[in-house]
Amino acid sequence: MRVMKFGGTSVGTVSSLRNVKHIVENTSGPVVVVVSALGGVTDLLIKGARLALDGMEWDETLRTVEGRHRDIVFSPLVAADLQDATWKEVSDLLALLRNYYTGISLLNDLSERTLCNVVSLGERMSSLIISRIIDDAALYQSMDFIKTERWFGKNIAVTDLTDSLICRRFSDLGTSCRVAIAPGFISTDRDTGDITNLGRGGSDYTAALIAAALEADVLDIWTDVDGFMTADPRIIKEAKVIAHLSFLESMDLCNFGAKVIYPPTIYPVFHKNIPIRILNTFNPEAPGTIITDEHKASSLQLFRGVTSISEVSVIDVGETESLRAPELHTRVLNVLSKHGIEVLLSASALKGMKAAVRRSDAAAAMRALREDFAGEGSEATSPSLDEHADVSAISAVGENIKLHPDTSCRLSDTLQDAGIDVITSATGASGFTFTMIVPQALHKEALTALHRLI
Ligand code: ADP
Ligand code: ASP
Ligand code: MG
């Protein structure tokens, strides 16, 4: 059996959903189809909640969400005799949305829990409608089998429990229906049963959890580009499709910013050795990208792709008499990991160390380090802490980087030659990703210069 995931870009309109229907109905055997909210709907749902919180008019946003779904339900894609009943079910979810917005504005409060309820409606509506569009399909409610728990203020999947719930729920697939439609992104808390989600872009991860639990033959991620590309095609026009990638390369490309797959997605399928294909809903004949456990790149190729995380902060930590650089380095990494903060890069510096984190994590990182160093005595004797915002992390990724020890010098030199200052750089834990921190204003120039080397 196979698992397919269609992102918001693929399920946004009547015409794109026609392609989805065609693609799914032309597969054979049992298939699980994971779907995102209609393109742009998650953003609209959040916008309405923020307007309600600010005491502003949210009715128009709700009407836009309603209109987007109505256009699909009353299109020829849904059989005429199913349209009214389907619209009644969608309307019940829209009524819930109206209640949430009313509650947010009356209470002047928007908790994370409420926002999770609000955004869940996007996938709940899209999956319901898509289950009425595709022949021989039934709706499987992901909130019943994708379970999360709290970890440093985030919801993360509880994989063992999720695995067994998926196996149980899908045991009838192929007998009761050929196609299971499951909403991506949404989940419930294992202890409280509250609605949660896997994070923005998380439908890819839902599909991977299902593929891994059911030991699928393949996980197909259908999106709006011809495959995994050598760079973000919105930034680098010359970016090309990469025919084959190894799991490890794709994992680093995604961890270091390639938006095409949500980063935690690759791990569960990698673990079960299930290939991933990246395919284009709008060009289904294109071969796409296949990701497997093999590494097939020619040894002449320096690396496979460039990626970037544009909003980064570098934290500079200065050593003291009692806390010298090597010990300081370990201490900083320990503190940040204890607080669940991902360090994109860490490097020794003259009289201290530097750690790069996502800008959205910078305030928490500074707070955690400040608290930890408070035990070191007075402000004057504890390590100094400085945050440099306005920087980006640019990475070159490829297993061949291990074969060519001079790659890091070539990459840094290329940026220096282009007049771009490399603030700090390091090779990642995998050994085949080289990351450089550059001024954010030169982020595109840096990517362009490195991309020419592929
Ligand atoms: P979906 O709605 O299908 O989940 P996303 O917007 O999350 O789609 O991901 C697809 C987009 O990722 C593409 O439209 C492309 O602009 C962007 N992207 C960024 N980096 C890459 C890359 N290296 N290869 C392919 N696409 C990329
Ligand atoms: N709808 C969610 C989002 O926009 C999840 C997804 O599309 O994967 O982030
Ligand atoms: Mg996505």
Side-chain angles (χ1 to χ4, degrees):
M1 59 87 61
R2 68 171 74 195
V3 175
M4 296 176 146
K5 177 260 173 178
F6 291 90
T9 51
S10 302
V11 298
T13 61
V14 171
S15 103
S16 62
L17 279 166
R18 197 169 287 125
N19 293 2
V20 172
K21 178 174 166 67
H22 182 78
I23 291 164
V24 176
E25 290 177 359
N26 281 284
T27 57
S28 56
V31 50
V32 180
V33 176
V34 174
V35 296
S36 292
L38 306 188
V41 163
T42 308
D43 287 335
L44 280 170
L45 293 170
I46 296 171
K47 179 179 164 197
R50 300 247 155 87
L51 288 171
L53 179 67
D54 294 341
M56 288 160 73
E57 194 48 67
W58 43 262
D59 215 57
E60 196 186 319
T61 310
L62 190 132
R63 275 201 302 276
T64 310
V65 171
E66 183 181 308
R68 293 281 310 278
H69 293 87
R70 189 194 292 109
D71 287 350
I72 311 239
V73 172
F74 292 105
S75 75
L77 283 175
V78 178
D81 59 341
L82 286 181
Q83 289 180 349
D84 286 340
T86 305
W87 185 243
K88 164 84 184 58
E89 286 179 68
V90 174
S91 299
D92 288 345
L93 295 170
L94 288 165
L96 213 50
L97 181 60
R98 178 172 289 280
N99 288 344
Y100 290 146
Y101 284 170
T102 308
I104 295 165
S105 85
L106 280 176
L107 295 169
N108 193 22
D109 184 47
L110 176 58
S111 65
E112 190 202 333
R113 188 160 159 254
T114 305
L115 190 60
C116 283
N117 278 277
V118 168
V119 292
S120 74
L121 293 168
E123 269 73 7
R124 286 158 76 186
M125 291 190 282
S126 68
S127 57
L128 168 66
I129 299 171
I130 294 167
S131 72
R132 304 289 155 79
I133 289 179
I134 292 172
D135 288 349
D136 200 4
L139 184 58
Y140 284 57
Q141 290 294 0
S142 301
M143 291 186 296
D144 295 342
F145 49 79
I146 307 282
K147 293 286 170 180
T148 60
E149 64 187 354
R150 296 295 282 174
W151 187 78
F152 294 112
K154 295 174 194 152
N155 298 310
I156 59 152
V158 189
T159 44
D160 290 356
L161 176 61
T162 296
D163 221 61
S164 57
L165 291 172
I166 291 171
C167 290
R168 202 181 310 155
R169 178 63 188 93
F170 286 86
S171 58
D172 67 346
L173 179 62
T175 46
S176 66
C177 62
R178 186 183 78 83
V179 183
I181 307 290
F185 177 59
I186 54 178
S187 45
T188 44
D189 184 277
R190 69 176 297 170
D191 301 315
T192 62
D194 286 344
I195 296 178
T196 56
N197 63 62
L198 302 175
R200 293 303 306 270
S203 297
D204 298 333
Y205 191 26
T206 309
L209 290 168
I210 297 175
L214 300 180
E215 306 203 333
D217 299 319
V218 62
L219 167 61
D220 288 341
I221 308 249
W222 290 88
T223 183
D224 65 345
V225 283
D226 277 345
F228 211 124
M229 303 178 91
T230 48
D232 184 338
R234 292 164 302 183
I235 305 177
I236 306 289
K237 277 195 223 51
E238 298 74 25
K240 289 194 179 62
V241 173
I242 309 170
H244 179 273
L245 276 172
S246 71
F247 283 123
L248 298 176
E249 287 173 328
S250 62
M251 232 182 272
D252 265 12
L253 283 163
C254 295
N255 281 332
F256 286 93
K259 201 206 157 202
V260 61
I261 312 179
Y262 184 53
T265 304
I266 297 156
Y267 190 75
V269 282
F270 161 62
H271 205 62
K272 294 274 177 87
N273 201 7
I274 298 167
I276 307 177
R277 294 190 302 178
I278 313 293
L279 298 159
N280 190 348
T281 307
F282 304 91
N283 185 16
E285 306 308 325
T289 298
I290 178 140
I291 303 173
T292 69
D293 63 344
E294 285 175 87
H295 176 242
K296 291 188 178 169
S298 142
S299 60
L300 296 175
Q301 193 180 27
L302 218 48
F303 55 92
R304 314 304 309 282
V306 288
T307 58
S308 62
I309 301 177
S310 65
E311 307 231 311
V312 168
S313 281
V314 169
I315 299 176
D316 256 311
V317 192
E319 66 176 8
T320 62
E321 286 287 319
S322 57
L323 209 48
R324 291 291 180 193
E327 196 193 330
L328 182 72
H329 201 134
T330 319
R331 170 103 162 243
V332 169
L333 296 186
N334 278 340
V335 172
L336 296 180
S337 105
K338 264 194 228 142
H339 285 77
I341 296 165
E342 187 193 356
V343 176
L344 301 171
L345 162 164
S346 72
S348 299
L350 199 66
K351 297 193 177 307
M353 64 87 67
K354 290 176 193 288
V357 298
R358 282 172 214 279
R359 197 151 322 134
S360 52
D361 287 335
M366 290 291 279
R367 207 176 314 117
L369 291 169
R370 221 175 273 125
E371 277 166 17
D372 186 74
F373 294 150
E376 288 298 314
S378 71
E379 213 173 290
T381 57
S382 73
S384 61
L385 274 175
D386 281 306
E387 180 194 340
H388 300 279
D390 301 330
V391 293
S392 299
I394 310 287
S395 304
V397 180
E399 293 201 33
N400 283 353
I401 288 183
K402 276 185 172 166
L403 301 178
H404 304 281
D406 62 333
T407 307
S408 48
C409 295
R410 271 192 72 182
L411 295 169
S412 310
D413 290 350
T414 301
L415 293 195
Q416 302 290 3
D417 293 347
I420 300 164
D421 227 13
V422 177
I423 296 160
T424 184
S425 62
T427 304
S430 61
F432 53 72
T433 295
F434 186 67
T435 302
M436 290 165 283
I437 302 292
V438 301
Q440 192 174 353
L442 298 175
H443 152 237
K444 183 174 174 188
E445 283 81 347
L447 281 174
T448 308
L450 294 183
H451 190 260
R452 285 198 201 104
L453 298 177
I454 297 178

